[in-house]
Amino acid sequence: MSVISTNRAVGIANRVEEFVREVVIPYEQDPRRDHHNAPTDAMIAELREKARAAGVLTPHILANGEHLTQRETAVVLQRSGLSPLGPLAVNTAAPDEGNMYLLGHVGSADIKQRFLQPLVEGRARSAFFMTEPAEEGGAGSDPSMMQTTCEQDGDHWVVNGRKAFITGAQGARVGIVMAKSKQGACMFVVDLPDPAIRIDRVPRTIDNSMPGGHAVVTIDHLRVHADQMLGNSGEGFKYAQVRLSPARLSHCMRWLGACVRANEIATDYANRRQAFGKSLIDHEGVGFMLAENLIDLKTSELMIDWCAGVLDTGSLGTHESSMTKVAVSEALMRIADRCVQTMGGTGVTDNTIVEQVFREVRAFRIYDGPTEVHKWSLAKKIKRDWISKRS
Ligand SMILES: Cc1cc2nc3c(=O)[nH]c(=O)nc-3n(C[C@H](O)[C@H](O)[C@H](O)COP(=O)(O)OP(=O)(O)OC[C@H]3O[C@@H](n4cnc5c(N)ncnc54)[C@H](O)[C@@H]3O)c2cc1C
């Protein structure tokens, strides 16, 4: 499946795929779901024990703490995504994977020990608190609209504000919170739960693979020790950049895996199911849908590999990850839609994961930057480049 990867990554990816296909996929029928229809923490803990025993827990971080390269990570995370439960089972799911990456790259030794270690061991979940309620005029597509404040009080900071769409806040043990000081954006890592961080409600959403759902939260006089600030006051967006491109790309990797599997299921259906005296696959309309899926799958894989290669050079890859996020999320939406269509009524039932993949990929076109915001920022770059070439 990979374009180019190292032997170690291919070996890890093969073991992850075997684990997902043999152990995780049977759990897709397990009825243990929370009140938002997401897998329960008990079920995830059970899966993680099995992943630990199989040696595939947190497979993208090696025992010495070293991260696989982005190109290597791509191969491993794609395989973990073959089931919507796969990333949770092997600990490559969002937002933990992005949060682990950030803490691993910018956390002090103490922060790594206290906050990163339980995440890497798959014994805790985390949440990233940036977006704020749209109806209150808070940060969304435009992070500079952030209203949550932080003020220094001796050797502590006091944080106040409201947040929205905070994936996994309910049930998380680690939080990364963004707020604004006089100097600008700040980022803190905190223990959860904390009475000063109140879950107001968890709305029902189109997706249900993420435990804890996407909470609306009030932060009311949260006191955080100054040691728990990542970087310095005013550097919060700089630190957010460290997480941004890799986290965006890892969503592409996992959802590509999910669409590979959805396409396998649709292909199987089209070959077995008969209509008008022949298999569906032999009807040109169906055959073309599956052919287009192959093209979109391969194009997505190549774009991910290209962008991963750019990040591996040490570049922030801001524009490359924007291009890749748009191209891949839109291609995956087309693939999931064609899988549903190929399978007729069965495609919209919960008989298979195809309907879930279709719903979940829809949300991916919004989080980590909606398609239009990425295109808008690319257009600004195109204009800047045009001006600089003329001057
Ligand atoms: C499932 C899910 C999980 C999420 N998890 C988290 C999380 O864990 N932590 C967190 O902090 N946030 C999270 N988010 C929030 C997510 O990052 C925001 O939804 C996203 O940034 C968009 O912000 P918004 O919803 O306020 O949309 P708005 O800012 O209101 O934008 C609405 C629409 O306007 C259009 N638009 C905006 N700007 C432009 C522009 N410049 N040009 C053209 N069109 C534009 C886009 O089409 C966009 O979809 C999550 C969201 C979802 C759906």
Side-chain angles (χ1 to χ4, degrees):
M1 192 172 175
S2 89
V3 183
I4 300 173
S5 202
T6 61
N7 286 340
R8 75 171 176 180
V10 172
I12 297 169
N14 287 343
R15 282 190 286 123
V16 168
E17 175 164 355
E18 190 183 340
F19 178 76
V20 171
R21 288 197 188 272
E22 287 179 11
V23 179
V24 178
I25 287 177
Y27 275 82
E28 289 170 358
Q29 305 304 323
D30 192 299
R32 282 174 289 172
R33 304 283 149 160
D34 67 15
H35 54 298
H36 295 285
N37 210 19
T40 60
D41 282 320
M43 182 169 134
I44 296 163
E46 188 176 308
L47 277 164
R48 286 190 179 177
E49 275 316 312
K50 293 187 176 181
R52 192 172 283 119
V56 292
L57 191 73
T58 327
H60 57 298
I61 301 178
L62 304 177
N64 62 4
E66 185 195 340
H67 254 257
L68 295 183
T69 67
Q70 289 294 323
R71 292 184 91 189
E72 291 175 319
T73 301
V75 199
V76 174
L77 263 60
Q78 279 170 31
R79 308 290 181 90
S80 74
L82 287 166
S83 164
L85 288 171
L88 292 170
V90 303
N91 200 22
T92 57
D96 293 337
E97 183 269 333
N99 291 341
M100 287 190 277
Y101 184 89
L102 177 67
L103 295 176
H105 280 76
V106 306
S108 63
D110 282 350
I111 281 182
K112 285 184 186 164
Q113 177 66 30
R114 179 169 160 197
F115 297 101
L116 176 60
Q117 199 52 32
L119 294 177
V120 173
E121 289 171 4
R123 302 189 195 281
R125 286 202 283 104
S126 62
F128 190 78
F129 296 68
M130 176 136 106
T131 306
E132 297 169 340
E135 57 279 13
E136 295 166 21
S141 301
D142 181 357
S144 73
M145 289 164 66
M146 195 153 59
Q147 295 177 342
T148 301
T149 58
C150 57
E151 275 179 46
Q152 196 151 18
D153 178 19
D155 56 3
H156 280 74
W157 287 80
V158 180
V159 184
N160 280 291
R162 299 249 301 146
K163 297 286 178 185
F165 297 109
I166 307 307
T167 303
Q170 197 166 53
R173 290 216 350 241
V174 175
I176 299 178
V177 178
M178 297 216 55
K180 234 179 192 173
S181 70
K182 286 190 191 110
Q183 292 81 34
C186 302
M187 195 183 264
F188 301 94
V189 54
V190 302
D191 287 305
L192 294 176
D194 187 304
I197 301 185
R198 200 175 61 235
I199 310 276
D200 293 329
R201 65 189 187 93
V202 185
R204 289 199 173 275
T205 50
I206 199 169
D207 61 319
N208 47 29
S209 69
M210 302 188 188
H214 313 287
V216 179
V217 172
T218 297
I219 304 177
D220 186 8
H221 290 88
L222 172 71
R223 287 184 71 77
V224 193
H225 197 275
D227 290 348
Q228 289 167 240
M229 181 183 273
L230 295 172
N232 297 311
S233 178
E235 288 185 339
F237 287 144
K238 188 175 122 195
Y239 279 72
Q241 287 289 333
V242 173
R243 183 187 189 279
L244 211 60
S245 295
R248 218 176 252 166
L249 195 59
S250 65
H251 279 302
C252 295
M253 298 168 187
R254 289 181 294 261
W255 287 124
L256 174 60
C259 281
V260 165
R261 170 102 179 287
N263 189 55
E264 286 172 4
I265 295 169
T267 301
D268 192 56
Y269 186 94
N271 278 284
R272 290 177 193 278
R273 177 74 168 151
Q274 300 280 311
F276 304 99
K278 54 185 178 182
S279 306
L280 289 180
I281 186 88
D282 293 325
H283 292 276
E284 193 176 76
V286 175
F288 273 23
M289 284 198 282
L290 294 176
E292 285 166 2
N293 275 2
L294 272 194
I295 296 164
D296 273 336
L297 286 169
K298 182 52 79 178
T299 317
S300 300
E301 184 192 331
L302 292 170
M303 285 222 51
I304 292 169
D305 186 66
W306 164 69
C307 183
V310 171
L311 296 184
D312 282 337
T313 66
S315 160
L316 281 179
T318 311
H319 303 301
E320 291 85 351
S321 69
S322 280
M323 288 167 64
T324 305
K325 202 270 180 177
V326 171
V328 173
S329 63
E330 299 290 332
L332 297 182
M333 186 80 247
R334 292 192 297 271
I335 294 166
D337 185 55
R338 289 188 207 111
C339 290
V340 170
Q341 195 69 12
T342 296
M343 294 172 65
T346 307
V348 298
T349 68
D350 62 1
N351 292 0
T352 76
I353 58 144
V354 168
E355 69 87 29
Q356 184 184 356
V357 173
F358 174 78
R359 284 186 286 108
E360 305 253 356
V361 167
R362 182 64 189 85
F364 177 38
R365 289 173 58 210
I366 295 168
Y367 56 75
D368 277 6
T371 296
E372 297 71 29
V373 175
H374 287 298
K375 287 185 180 171
W376 169 76
S377 86
L378 287 167
K380 286 202 300 181
K381 175 183 159 37
I382 293 166
K383 185 173 175 188
R384 273 198 313 276
D385 290 351
W386 182 81
I387 291 170
S388 77
K389 272 190 198 138
R390 286 167 59 94
S391 57

PDB file of all heavy atoms in Angstrom, residues 203-236:
ATOM      1  N   PRO A 203     -23.262  17.890  22.421  1.00  0.00           N
ATOM      2  CA  PRO A 203     -24.316  17.786  21.409  1.00  0.00           C
ATOM      3  C   PRO A 203     -24.212  16.488  20.615  1.00  0.00           C
ATOM      4  O   PRO A 203     -23.122  15.925  20.485  1.00  0.00           O
ATOM      5  CB  PRO A 203     -24.056  18.989  20.492  1.00  0.00           C
ATOM      6  CG  PRO A 203     -22.656  19.386  20.739  1.00  0.00           C
ATOM      7  CD  PRO A 203     -22.284  18.930  22.111  1.00  0.00           C
ATOM      8  N   ARG A 204     -25.325  16.021  20.115  1.00  0.00           N
ATOM      9  CA  ARG A 204     -25.293  14.880  19.195  1.00  0.00           C
ATOM     10  C   ARG A 204     -24.684  15.359  17.883  1.00  0.00           C
ATOM     11  O   ARG A 204     -25.004  16.447  17.417  1.00  0.00           O
ATOM     12  CB  ARG A 204     -26.709  14.353  18.948  1.00  0.00           C
ATOM     13  CG  ARG A 204     -27.269  13.667  20.154  1.00  0.00           C
ATOM     14  CD  ARG A 204     -28.431  12.750  19.796  1.00  0.00           C
ATOM     15  NE  ARG A 204     -28.824  11.996  20.983  1.00  0.00           N
ATOM     16  CZ  ARG A 204     -28.237  10.873  21.354  1.00  0.00           C
ATOM     17  NH1 ARG A 204     -27.264  10.356  20.636  1.00  0.00           N
ATOM     18  NH2 ARG A 204     -28.627  10.249  22.443  1.00  0.00           N
ATOM     19  N   THR A 205     -23.826  14.558  17.290  1.00  0.00           N
ATOM     20  CA  THR A 205     -23.166  14.967  16.047  1.00  0.00           C
ATOM     21  C   THR A 205     -23.276  13.859  15.010  1.00  0.00           C
ATOM     22  O   THR A 205     -23.686  12.741  15.316  1.00  0.00           O
ATOM     23  CB  THR A 205     -21.672  15.274  16.297  1.00  0.00           C
ATOM     24  OG1 THR A 205     -21.093  14.189  17.014  1.00  0.00           O
ATOM     25  CG2 THR A 205     -21.484  16.556  17.083  1.00  0.00           C
ATOM     26  N   ILE A 206     -22.869  14.175  13.797  1.00  0.00           N
ATOM     27  CA  ILE A 206     -22.978  13.268  12.654  1.00  0.00           C
ATOM     28  C   ILE A 206     -22.083  12.029  12.833  1.00  0.00           C
ATOM     29  O   ILE A 206     -22.343  10.974  12.282  1.00  0.00           O
ATOM     30  CB  ILE A 206     -22.585  14.065  11.377  1.00  0.00           C
ATOM     31  CG1 ILE A 206     -23.090  13.405  10.106  1.00  0.00           C
ATOM     32  CG2 ILE A 206     -21.101  14.293  11.302  1.00  0.00           C
ATOM     33  CD1 ILE A 206     -22.949  14.315   8.880  1.00  0.00           C
ATOM     34  N   ASP A 207     -21.020  12.193  13.636  1.00  0.00           N
ATOM     35  CA  ASP A 207     -20.030  11.127  13.797  1.00  0.00           C
ATOM     36  C   ASP A 207     -20.183  10.473  15.164  1.00  0.00           C
ATOM     37  O   ASP A 207     -20.758  11.072  16.068  1.00  0.00           O
ATOM     38  CB  ASP A 207     -18.612  11.711  13.690  1.00  0.00           C
ATOM     39  CG  ASP A 207     -18.356  12.731  14.780  1.00  0.00           C
ATOM     40  OD1 ASP A 207     -19.262  13.527  15.076  1.00  0.00           O
ATOM     41  OD2 ASP A 207     -17.265  12.716  15.374  1.00  0.00           O
ATOM     42  N   ASN A 208     -19.651   9.251  15.303  1.00  0.00           N
ATOM     43  CA  ASN A 208     -19.666   8.663  16.647  1.00  0.00           C
ATOM     44  C   ASN A 208     -18.487   7.736  16.906  1.00  0.00           C
ATOM     45  O   ASN A 208     -18.588   6.799  17.684  1.00  0.00           O
ATOM     46  CB  ASN A 208     -20.986   7.952  16.951  1.00  0.00           C
ATOM     47  CG  ASN A 208     -21.430   7.057  15.830  1.00  0.00           C
ATOM     48  OD1 ASN A 208     -20.613   6.529  15.087  1.00  0.00           O
ATOM     49  ND2 ASN A 208     -22.718   6.885  15.685  1.00  0.00           N
ATOM     50  N   SER A 209     -17.341   8.033  16.292  1.00  0.00           N
ATOM     51  CA  SER A 209     -16.190   7.161  16.571  1.00  0.00           C
ATOM     52  C   SER A 209     -15.312   7.719  17.684  1.00  0.00           C
ATOM     53  O   SER A 209     -14.364   7.080  18.107  1.00  0.00           O
ATOM     54  CB  SER A 209     -15.349   6.956  15.311  1.00  0.00           C
ATOM     55  OG  SER A 209     -14.713   8.155  14.974  1.00  0.00           O
ATOM     56  N   MET A 210     -15.607   8.956  18.153  1.00  0.00           N
ATOM     57  CA  MET A 210     -14.678   9.582  19.096  1.00  0.00           C
ATOM     58  C   MET A 210     -15.262   9.588  20.505  1.00  0.00           C
ATOM     59  O   MET A 210     -16.270  10.262  20.758  1.00  0.00           O
ATOM     60  CB  MET A 210     -14.340  10.993  18.624  1.00  0.00           C
ATOM     61  CG  MET A 210     -13.725  10.968  17.231  1.00  0.00           C
ATOM     62  SD  MET A 210     -13.097  12.558  16.729  1.00  0.00           S
ATOM     63  CE  MET A 210     -12.700  12.235  15.010  1.00  0.00           C
ATOM     64  N   PRO A 211     -14.656   8.842  21.429  1.00  0.00           N
ATOM     65  CA  PRO A 211     -15.198   8.731  22.783  1.00  0.00           C
ATOM     66  C   PRO A 211     -15.312  10.099  23.441  1.00  0.00           C
ATOM     67  O   PRO A 211     -14.432  10.936  23.303  1.00  0.00           O
ATOM     68  CB  PRO A 211     -14.172   7.873  23.526  1.00  0.00           C
ATOM     69  CG  PRO A 211     -13.326   7.260  22.487  1.00  0.00           C
ATOM     70  CD  PRO A 211     -13.401   8.110  21.275  1.00  0.00           C
ATOM     71  N   GLY A 212     -16.414  10.295  24.160  1.00  0.00           N
ATOM     72  CA  GLY A 212     -16.616  11.573  24.842  1.00  0.00           C
ATOM     73  C   GLY A 212     -17.320  12.595  23.975  1.00  0.00           C
ATOM     74  O   GLY A 212     -17.752  13.639  24.480  1.00  0.00           O
ATOM     75  N   GLY A 213     -17.466  12.335  22.668  1.00  0.00           N
ATOM     76  CA  GLY A 213     -18.129  13.288  21.772  1.00  0.00           C
ATOM     77  C   GLY A 213     -17.382  14.611  21.709  1.00  0.00           C
ATOM     78  O   GLY A 213     -16.163  14.667  21.944  1.00  0.00           O
ATOM     79  N   HIS A 214     -18.094  15.678  21.394  1.00  0.00           N
ATOM     80  CA  HIS A 214     -17.471  16.985  21.159  1.00  0.00           C
ATOM     81  C   HIS A 214     -18.154  18.013  22.065  1.00  0.00           C
ATOM     82  O   HIS A 214     -19.200  18.562  21.722  1.00  0.00           O
ATOM     83  CB  HIS A 214     -17.601  17.366  19.687  1.00  0.00           C
ATOM     84  CG  HIS A 214     -17.223  16.241  18.751  1.00  0.00           C
ATOM     85  ND1 HIS A 214     -15.922  15.836  18.558  1.00  0.00           N
ATOM     86  CD2 HIS A 214     -17.982  15.402  18.015  1.00  0.00           C
ATOM     87  CE1 HIS A 214     -15.892  14.817  17.721  1.00  0.00           C
ATOM     88  NE2 HIS A 214     -17.130  14.523  17.372  1.00  0.00           N
ATOM     89  N   ALA A 215     -17.559  18.270  23.212  1.00  0.00           N
ATOM     90  CA  ALA A 215     -18.247  18.980  24.302  1.00  0.00           C
ATOM     91  C   ALA A 215     -18.197  20.505  24.189  1.00  0.00           C
ATOM     92  O   ALA A 215     -17.253  21.075  23.657  1.00  0.00           O
ATOM     93  CB  ALA A 215     -17.619  18.571  25.631  1.00  0.00           C
ATOM     94  N   VAL A 216     -19.249  21.121  24.735  1.00  0.00           N
ATOM     95  CA  VAL A 216     -19.247  22.562  25.006  1.00  0.00           C
ATOM     96  C   VAL A 216     -18.826  22.703  26.475  1.00  0.00           C
ATOM     97  O   VAL A 216     -19.351  22.012  27.346  1.00  0.00           O
ATOM     98  CB  VAL A 216     -20.655  23.170  24.807  1.00  0.00           C
ATOM     99  CG1 VAL A 216     -20.640  24.659  25.114  1.00  0.00           C
ATOM    100  CG2 VAL A 216     -21.163  22.900  23.396  1.00  0.00           C
ATOM    101  N   VAL A 217     -17.860  23.587  26.712  1.00  0.00           N
ATOM    102  CA  VAL A 217     -17.180  23.606  28.013  1.00  0.00           C
ATOM    103  C   VAL A 217     -17.093  25.038  28.545  1.00  0.00           C
ATOM    104  O   VAL A 217     -16.884  25.973  27.769  1.00  0.00           O
ATOM    105  CB  VAL A 217     -15.732  23.057  27.821  1.00  0.00           C
ATOM    106  CG1 VAL A 217     -14.899  23.234  29.070  1.00  0.00           C
ATOM    107  CG2 VAL A 217     -15.751  21.601  27.392  1.00  0.00           C
ATOM    108  N   THR A 218     -17.250  25.189  29.854  1.00  0.00           N
ATOM    109  CA  THR A 218     -16.967  26.479  30.498  1.00  0.00           C
ATOM    110  C   THR A 218     -15.707  26.342  31.354  1.00  0.00           C
ATOM    111  O   THR A 218     -15.588  25.390  32.129  1.00  0.00           O
ATOM    112  CB  THR A 218     -18.149  26.919  31.395  1.00  0.00           C
ATOM    113  OG1 THR A 218     -19.292  27.113  30.566  1.00  0.00           O
ATOM    114  CG2 THR A 218     -17.836  28.221  32.132  1.00  0.00           C
ATOM    115  N   ILE A 219     -14.786  27.281  31.169  1.00  0.00           N
ATOM    116  CA  ILE A 219     -13.564  27.304  32.005  1.00  0.00           C
ATOM    117  C   ILE A 219     -13.722  28.486  32.961  1.00  0.00           C
ATOM    118  O   ILE A 219     -13.796  29.641  32.527  1.00  0.00           O
ATOM    119  CB  ILE A 219     -12.295  27.455  31.139  1.00  0.00           C
ATOM    120  CG1 ILE A 219     -12.241  26.338  30.087  1.00  0.00           C
ATOM    121  CG2 ILE A 219     -11.043  27.426  32.018  1.00  0.00           C
ATOM    122  CD1 ILE A 219     -11.064  26.440  29.131  1.00  0.00           C
ATOM    123  N   ASP A 220     -13.804  28.166  34.246  1.00  0.00           N
ATOM    124  CA  ASP A 220     -14.159  29.179  35.235  1.00  0.00           C
ATOM    125  C   ASP A 220     -13.059  29.271  36.307  1.00  0.00           C
ATOM    126  O   ASP A 220     -12.969  28.434  37.182  1.00  0.00           O
ATOM    127  CB  ASP A 220     -15.506  28.761  35.868  1.00  0.00           C
ATOM    128  CG  ASP A 220     -16.046  29.812  36.802  1.00  0.00           C
ATOM    129  OD1 ASP A 220     -15.470  30.920  36.861  1.00  0.00           O
ATOM    130  OD2 ASP A 220     -17.046  29.514  37.492  1.00  0.00           O
ATOM    131  N   HIS A 221     -12.199  30.276  36.141  1.00  0.00           N
ATOM    132  CA  HIS A 221     -11.090  30.493  37.085  1.00  0.00           C
ATOM    133  C   HIS A 221     -10.221  29.246  37.259  1.00  0.00           C
ATOM    134  O   HIS A 221      -9.974  28.797  38.375  1.00  0.00           O
ATOM    135  CB  HIS A 221     -11.611  30.998  38.447  1.00  0.00           C
ATOM    136  CG  HIS A 221     -12.125  32.406  38.349  1.00  0.00           C
ATOM    137  ND1 HIS A 221     -13.429  32.698  38.000  1.00  0.00           N
ATOM    138  CD2 HIS A 221     -11.497  33.596  38.511  1.00  0.00           C
ATOM    139  CE1 HIS A 221     -13.582  34.009  37.962  1.00  0.00           C
ATOM    140  NE2 HIS A 221     -12.430  34.575  38.256  1.00  0.00           N
ATOM    141  N   LEU A 222      -9.775  28.723  36.157  1.00  0.00           N
ATOM    142  CA  LEU A 222      -8.845  27.582  36.191  1.00  0.00           C
ATOM    143  C   LEU A 222      -7.456  28.108  36.559  1.00  0.00           C
ATOM    144  O   LEU A 222      -6.913  28.980  35.882  1.00  0.00           O
ATOM    145  CB  LEU A 222      -8.808  26.921  34.798  1.00  0.00           C
ATOM    146  CG  LEU A 222      -7.747  25.837  34.591  1.00  0.00           C
ATOM    147  CD1 LEU A 222      -8.114  24.573  35.371  1.00  0.00           C
ATOM    148  CD2 LEU A 222      -7.613  25.511  33.097  1.00  0.00           C
ATOM    149  N   ARG A 223      -6.890  27.590  37.651  1.00  0.00           N
ATOM    150  CA  ARG A 223      -5.535  28.011  38.065  1.00  0.00           C
ATOM    151  C   ARG A 223      -4.532  26.984  37.554  1.00  0.00           C
ATOM    152  O   ARG A 223      -4.639  25.792  37.851  1.00  0.00           O
ATOM    153  CB  ARG A 223      -5.443  28.114  39.596  1.00  0.00           C
ATOM    154  CG  ARG A 223      -6.174  29.333  40.161  1.00  0.00           C
ATOM    155  CD  ARG A 223      -5.965  29.432  41.670  1.00  0.00           C
ATOM    156  NE  ARG A 223      -4.599  29.818  42.033  1.00  0.00           N
ATOM    157  CZ  ARG A 223      -4.125  31.052  41.951  1.00  0.00           C
ATOM    158  NH1 ARG A 223      -4.896  32.037  41.527  1.00  0.00           N
ATOM    159  NH2 ARG A 223      -2.874  31.311  42.295  1.00  0.00           N
ATOM    160  N   VAL A 224      -3.568  27.471  36.771  1.00  0.00           N
ATOM    161  CA  VAL A 224      -2.558  26.584  36.194  1.00  0.00           C
ATOM    162  C   VAL A 224      -1.174  27.094  36.580  1.00  0.00           C
ATOM    163  O   VAL A 224      -0.889  28.293  36.431  1.00  0.00           O
ATOM    164  CB  VAL A 224      -2.630  26.574  34.641  1.00  0.00           C
ATOM    165  CG1 VAL A 224      -1.797  25.434  34.082  1.00  0.00           C
ATOM    166  CG2 VAL A 224      -4.050  26.502  34.137  1.00  0.00           C
ATOM    167  N   HIS A 225      -0.320  26.204  37.056  1.00  0.00           N
ATOM    168  CA  HIS A 225       1.037  26.626  37.420  1.00  0.00           C
ATOM    169  C   HIS A 225       1.781  27.066  36.155  1.00  0.00           C
ATOM    170  O   HIS A 225       1.606  26.475  35.084  1.00  0.00           O
ATOM    171  CB  HIS A 225       1.792  25.472  38.102  1.00  0.00           C
ATOM    172  CG  HIS A 225       3.001  25.955  38.835  1.00  0.00           C
ATOM    173  ND1 HIS A 225       4.215  26.147  38.207  1.00  0.00           N
ATOM    174  CD2 HIS A 225       3.163  26.336  40.123  1.00  0.00           C
ATOM    175  CE1 HIS A 225       5.086  26.617  39.097  1.00  0.00           C
ATOM    176  NE2 HIS A 225       4.474  26.735  40.273  1.00  0.00           N
ATOM    177  N   ALA A 226       2.623  28.089  36.332  1.00  0.00           N
ATOM    178  CA  ALA A 226       3.348  28.652  35.176  1.00  0.00           C
ATOM    179  C   ALA A 226       4.201  27.596  34.462  1.00  0.00           C
ATOM    180  O   ALA A 226       4.420  27.687  33.244  1.00  0.00           O
ATOM    181  CB  ALA A 226       4.221  29.809  35.629  1.00  0.00           C
ATOM    182  N   ASP A 227       4.654  26.572  35.196  1.00  0.00           N
ATOM    183  CA  ASP A 227       5.448  25.498  34.564  1.00  0.00           C
ATOM    184  C   ASP A 227       4.648  24.724  33.523  1.00  0.00           C
ATOM    185  O   ASP A 227       5.216  23.987  32.719  1.00  0.00           O
ATOM    186  CB  ASP A 227       5.905  24.476  35.616  1.00  0.00           C
ATOM    187  CG  ASP A 227       6.953  25.054  36.535  1.00  0.00           C
ATOM    188  OD1 ASP A 227       7.467  26.138  36.214  1.00  0.00           O
ATOM    189  OD2 ASP A 227       7.235  24.411  37.573  1.00  0.00           O
ATOM    190  N   GLN A 228       3.315  24.843  33.606  1.00  0.00           N
ATOM    191  CA  GLN A 228       2.471  24.071  32.687  1.00  0.00           C
ATOM    192  C   GLN A 228       2.129  24.856  31.417  1.00  0.00           C
ATOM    193  O   GLN A 228       1.325  24.406  30.613  1.00  0.00           O
ATOM    194  CB  GLN A 228       1.186  23.616  33.402  1.00  0.00           C
ATOM    195  CG  GLN A 228       1.462  22.540  34.431  1.00  0.00           C
ATOM    196  CD  GLN A 228       0.292  22.292  35.357  1.00  0.00           C
ATOM    197  OE1 GLN A 228       0.418  22.450  36.581  1.00  0.00           O
ATOM    198  NE2 GLN A 228      -0.847  21.936  34.811  1.00  0.00           N
ATOM    199  N   MET A 229       2.762  26.016  31.253  1.00  0.00           N
ATOM    200  CA  MET A 229       2.598  26.718  29.976  1.00  0.00           C
ATOM    201  C   MET A 229       3.591  26.128  28.992  1.00  0.00           C
ATOM    202  O   MET A 229       4.757  25.905  29.328  1.00  0.00           O
ATOM    203  CB  MET A 229       2.868  28.219  30.157  1.00  0.00           C
ATOM    204  CG  MET A 229       2.697  29.000  28.869  1.00  0.00           C
ATOM    205  SD  MET A 229       3.106  30.739  29.076  1.00  0.00           S
ATOM    206  CE  MET A 229       1.566  31.410  29.638  1.00  0.00           C
ATOM    207  N   LEU A 230       3.128  25.845  27.781  1.00  0.00           N
ATOM    208  CA  LEU A 230       4.040  25.346  26.747  1.00  0.00           C
ATOM    209  C   LEU A 230       4.648  26.565  26.060  1.00  0.00           C
ATOM    210  O   LEU A 230       3.926  27.382  25.480  1.00  0.00           O
ATOM    211  CB  LEU A 230       3.298  24.460  25.746  1.00  0.00           C
ATOM    212  CG  LEU A 230       2.729  23.152  26.321  1.00  0.00           C
ATOM    213  CD1 LEU A 230       1.849  22.429  25.308  1.00  0.00           C
ATOM    214  CD2 LEU A 230       3.852  22.216  26.778  1.00  0.00           C
ATOM    215  N   GLY A 231       5.963  26.721  26.170  1.00  0.00           N
ATOM    216  CA  GLY A 231       6.622  27.899  25.602  1.00  0.00           C
ATOM    217  C   GLY A 231       6.363  29.106  26.485  1.00  0.00           C
ATOM    218  O   GLY A 231       6.120  28.975  27.688  1.00  0.00           O
ATOM    219  N   ASN A 232       6.387  30.280  25.866  1.00  0.00           N
ATOM    220  CA  ASN A 232       6.205  31.526  26.617  1.00  0.00           C
ATOM    221  C   ASN A 232       4.868  32.163  26.292  1.00  0.00           C
ATOM    222  O   ASN A 232       4.223  31.807  25.287  1.00  0.00           O
ATOM    223  CB  ASN A 232       7.330  32.504  26.250  1.00  0.00           C
ATOM    224  CG  ASN A 232       8.684  31.944  26.653  1.00  0.00           C
ATOM    225  OD1 ASN A 232       8.860  31.488  27.785  1.00  0.00           O
ATOM    226  ND2 ASN A 232       9.616  31.944  25.721  1.00  0.00           N
ATOM    227  N   SER A 233       4.491  33.133  27.141  1.00  0.00           N
ATOM    228  CA  SER A 233       3.260  33.877  26.902  1.00  0.00           C
ATOM    229  C   SER A 233       3.342  34.560  25.533  1.00  0.00           C
ATOM    230  O   SER A 233       4.342  35.216  25.226  1.00  0.00           O
ATOM    231  CB  SER A 233       3.086  34.920  28.011  1.00  0.00           C
ATOM    232  OG  SER A 233       1.941  35.677  27.781  1.00  0.00           O
ATOM    233  N   GLY A 234       2.301  34.379  24.713  1.00  0.00           N
ATOM    234  CA  GLY A 234       2.275  34.990  23.374  1.00  0.00           C
ATOM    235  C   GLY A 234       2.756  34.042  22.292  1.00  0.00           C
ATOM    236  O   GLY A 234       2.642  34.347  21.100  1.00  0.00           O
ATOM    237  N   GLU A 235       3.282  32.864  22.697  1.00  0.00           N
ATOM    238  CA  GLU A 235       3.806  31.919  21.685  1.00  0.00           C
ATOM    239  C   GLU A 235       2.822  30.789  21.356  1.00  0.00           C
ATOM    240  O   GLU A 235       3.186  29.828  20.692  1.00  0.00           O
ATOM    241  CB  GLU A 235       5.107  31.283  22.196  1.00  0.00           C
ATOM    242  CG  GLU A 235       6.286  32.225  22.198  1.00  0.00           C
ATOM    243  CD  GLU A 235       7.576  31.525  22.602  1.00  0.00           C
ATOM    244  OE1 GLU A 235       7.540  30.454  23.253  1.00  0.00           O
ATOM    245  OE2 GLU A 235       8.639  32.063  22.263  1.00  0.00           O
ATOM    246  N   GLY A 236       1.596  30.912  21.861  1.00  0.00           N
ATOM    247  CA  GLY A 236       0.639  29.808  21.724  1.00  0.00           C
ATOM    248  C   GLY A 236       0.375  29.390  20.282  1.00  0.00           C
ATOM    249  O   GLY A 236       0.332  28.196  19.968  1.00  0.00           O
TER     250      GLY A 236
END
